[in-house]
């Protein structure tokens, strides 16, 4: 089982531990500086091409507007219990909590233009105060998060970068080890 240890200190004891950890053949040490350097060197990898939203949806696919209105009333009365309202009213198969992944607004607009339009003016955490009709379906929408296009802040991606660098270092160490064994035993 992999473990991660974070050392936020440059004390002699901490640096001695890092030196010791580097000497172990089963560890990889990734410094925050390495992650920041990677981030700075690869801005395109961390740039959003479009505004992105993460939503929580209640979908009434039967076209039952009365049910959609009841769901909206309950959702706006207590936005913190939106997940419970999803479970009670949503007709979307396997809706679970109703949460979406990050959705680029332009992609959302292609399939659910009225939802995309309503979300543009909404704030993070807001339940849109009207039922949104798309074709013969009704949606109640809560905006969980919004992020503008452009460079993603380093703090939002640094853990992901560190993990990628750790995996890369492990793979390189494994390849080196396999090569050493192949060389030692003349395996081709």
């Amino acid at each position: 089982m992999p473990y991660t240890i974070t050392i936020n200190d440059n004390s002699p004891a901490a640096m001695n531990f890092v030196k010791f950890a580097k000497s172990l053949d089963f560890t990889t040490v990734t410094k925050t500086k390495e992650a920041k350097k990677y981030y700075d060197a690869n801005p395109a990898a961390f740039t959003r091409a479009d505004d992105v939203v993460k939503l929580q949806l209640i979908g009434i696919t039967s076209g039952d507007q009365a049910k959609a209105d009841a769901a909206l009333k309950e959702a706006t009365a207590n936005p913190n219990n939106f997940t419970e309202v999803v479970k009670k009213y949503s007709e979307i198969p396997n809706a679970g909590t109703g949460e979406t992944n990050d959705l680029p607004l332009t992609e959302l607009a292609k399939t659910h233009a009225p939802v995309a339009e309503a979300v543009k003016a909404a704030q993070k955490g807001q339940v849109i105060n009207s039922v949104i009709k798309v074709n013969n379906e009704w949606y109640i929408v809560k905006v969980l998060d919004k992020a503008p296009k452009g460079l993603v802040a380093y703090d939002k991606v640094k853990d992901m970068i560190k993990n990628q660098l750790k995996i890369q270092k492990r793979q390189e160490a494994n390849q080196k080890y396999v090569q050493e064994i192949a060389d030692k035993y003349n395996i081709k």
Side-chain angles (χ1 to χ4, degrees):
M1 173 170 297
Y3 293 93
T4 300
I5 298 173
T6 303
I7 300 174
N8 295 320
D9 172 339
N10 287 332
S11 71
M15 293 299 100
N16 284 336
F17 180 79
V18 170
K19 185 176 180 181
F20 168 73
K22 286 181 179 179
S23 72
L24 301 173
D25 63 353
F26 57 88
T27 63
T28 59
V29 176
T30 303
K31 297 179 182 177
T32 300
K33 285 189 238 178
E34 291 176 62
K36 180 70 167 118
K37 183 178 177 182
Y38 183 85
Y39 173 83
D40 290 339
N42 298 284
F46 307 104
T47 301
R48 285 187 204 95
D50 193 4
D51 292 341
V52 174
V53 293
K54 183 171 184 174
L55 307 174
Q56 194 169 16
L57 304 170
I58 300 169
I60 310 297
T61 56
S62 63
D64 184 347
Q65 185 174 357
K67 183 176 182 180
D69 290 339
L72 176 64
K73 183 176 181 182
E74 206 169 312
T76 54
N78 196 348
N80 293 333
N81 285 341
F82 199 90
T83 299
E84 296 307 314
V85 181
V86 170
K87 291 175 184 175
K88 182 176 177 181
Y89 289 98
S90 190
E91 297 173 354
I92 299 172
N94 303 316
T97 63
E99 291 186 21
T100 67
N101 293 322
D102 288 344
L103 302 168
L105 270 178
T106 54
E107 293 302 312
L108 181 61
K110 289 177 185 176
T111 58
H112 294 78
V115 173
E117 213 37 57
V119 166
K120 282 182 186 176
Q123 300 299 313
K124 179 179 174 178
Q126 180 181 347
V127 175
I128 306 297
N129 62 1
S130 62
V131 176
I132 303 167
K133 186 175 183 185
V134 179
N135 301 320
N136 194 36
E137 299 175 346
W138 298 95
Y139 291 93
I140 295 84
V141 179
K142 181 177 181 180
V143 178
L144 297 178
D145 200 8
K146 290 178 86 170
K149 67 180 174 182
L151 189 63
V152 178
Y154 172 69
D155 287 343
K156 296 230 182 227
V157 294
K158 71 179 173 184
D159 291 338
M160 178 190 69
I161 296 170
K162 285 181 186 179
N163 287 334
Q164 287 176 340
L165 292 173
K166 285 177 195 172
I167 290 167
Q168 181 181 345
K169 284 181 179 185
R170 263 189 231 124
Q171 289 172 338
E172 290 169 358
N174 286 343
Q175 288 172 348
K176 181 180 175 186
Y177 176 73
V178 169
Q179 188 61 50
E180 287 172 358
I181 296 298
D183 292 347
K184 183 176 180 178
Y185 295 102
N186 201 23
I187 301 171
K188 296 183 183 201

